[in-house]
Amino acid sequence: TALGVGFNENSAVLDVNAPTVIKYLQEKANIVDMDNTLVIVVANISERRGTCHMYPLGTGLYGAGFAVAVGALCDFQDTLNHECGHGFAKLADEYISYPDKTLPQSSANSLKRTDHPKGWWKNIDVTDNPSEILWGRFLSDPRYASDDIGIFEGGWLYGLGVYRPSEDSMMRTTYTGYGFNAPSREAIYYRIHKLAFGDEWQYDYEKFVEYDLKNIGASRKEHSANH
């Protein structure tokens, strides 16, 4: 309870006291700049739960912002992968909670005008046009023909008006062994390099693909044998 971890009113979300976490980091770990900090908190509960709290403190264009990923001991590895997908790569949930509802226009506008430009939610989009969607290059790249990349309606909790890159993935079906789809892996790769090498580093699609070829198929269920 030292960090204020507990279930909130709807019992699905694990709350955490972010100011207490920040104060602890500043005093005990001497961390001053929180923009690039992701904290993992393990909750001593046996129920399968995970939540990531994200705070867009920074002004960077590659997913700056402080985040706290809270995961339970139950299924810790998959929960951690999913929640750090949020906290580190700023990936959106790809699952659907409201299958008959359309993404609100205000959210769609924010996605295109604010979130995508600052490096958030690169694994969802509001267009189904292959030439305009964020992961259009993967759709036309024969090297990804076997990687289940497409345009699937539904994501970010809503069933309509928003699209995700694959039928299933770590950001949609956390507990059945799926990995990150290619656009999500690209977002992780991008942020790692920006943090490591700074603003002067320039993204090169071909260099990413060269690195990523070994990961093709990572979002498929064949990996579930290990879980």
Side-chain angles (χ1 to χ4, degrees), residues 108-130:
N109 292 340
S110 175
L111 186 70
K112 300 302 290 184
R113 297 173 184 173
T114 305
D115 300 330
H116 281 166
K118 73 181 182 184
W120 287 47
W121 318 141
K122 291 182 177 181
N123 59 323
I124 58 169
D125 209 337
V126 292
T127 178
D128 60 355
N129 186 328

Side-chain angles (χ1 to χ4, degrees), residues 185 189 193 206-215:
R185 298 195 302 268
Y189 173 95
H193 283 75
E206 286 301 322
K207 288 184 178 179
F208 166 72
V209 173
E210 181 182 355
Y211 166 81
D212 192 51
L213 286 176
K214 63 181 178 292
N215 298 315

Side-chain angles (χ1 to χ4, degrees), residues 144-149 166 168-170 176-181 185 215-225:
Y144 284 89
S146 63
D147 205 36
D148 188 34
I149 302 301
S166 59
D168 282 295
S169 77
M170 174 60 68
T176 53
Y178 291 97
F180 292 101
N181 54 41
R185 298 195 302 268
N215 298 315
I216 289 179
S219 62
R220 294 190 166 191
K221 197 175 181 179
E222 62 197 26
H223 293 265
S224 64

